[in-house]
Amino acid sequence: DQYTSKHVFESLPDGGRIVLRRDPGDSAGVAQIRTHLQEIARAFAAGDFSTPAFVHMLSVPGTDVMTARRADIAYAYTPVDGGGEVRITTTDGEALSAVHAFLAFQRSDHRAH
């Protein structure tokens, strides 16, 4: 259940990060988060944003540019206590604006201020 996990969608000067966490005692939930974020990092790197489109039932802001400029954006998964993180980095200005638009939408829609 995505609503029982803590979501962070943080914009940073070189991109941003997505962090999902659960109670570390919930080993099954933590494992599910880690698997999900690894899949997200791979899909996003390939320009596949179908998961956010499905979850939000619309084309998520920024994803069209992130798809077109996928060669200019890196996605790195790292496990963290209770979950995982996907770090998004770019040096391309247009891609950076798209990443920030994507993260702002996610923050708002997931109420993860």
Side-chain angles (χ1 to χ4, degrees):
D1 180 356
Q2 68 176 332
Y3 298 106
T4 62
S5 301
K6 180 179 178 190
H7 293 64
V8 174
F9 300 97
E10 181 180 13
S11 294
L12 299 168
D14 64 347
R17 67 189 192 122
I18 301 167
V19 183
L20 301 179
R21 285 193 165 108
R22 295 186 65 80
D23 178 341
D26 178 4
S27 59
V30 171
Q32 188 174 23
I33 284 172
R34 290 178 175 164
T35 298
H36 172 66
L37 287 178
Q38 289 173 63
E39 291 169 353
I40 287 295
R42 278 191 295 274
F44 287 9
D48 177 359
F49 292 90
S50 59
T51 297
F54 175 77
V55 168
H56 300 286
M57 303 296 284
L58 56 90
S59 178
V60 176
T63 58
D64 55 341
V65 173
M66 291 168 73
T67 298
R69 302 188 84 74
R70 66 184 167 270
D72 299 316
I73 306 171
Y75 300 89
Y77 165 78
T78 305
V80 298
D81 188 39
E85 173 180 324
V86 174
R87 182 72 165 87
I88 306 167
T89 56
T90 186
T91 57
D92 179 87
E94 188 176 350
L96 181 62
S97 294
V99 168
H100 287 174
F102 171 79
L103 293 170
F105 172 83
Q106 294 285 10
R107 257 190 317 276
S108 175
D109 210 51
H110 285 279
R111 296 174 182 86
H113 299 288

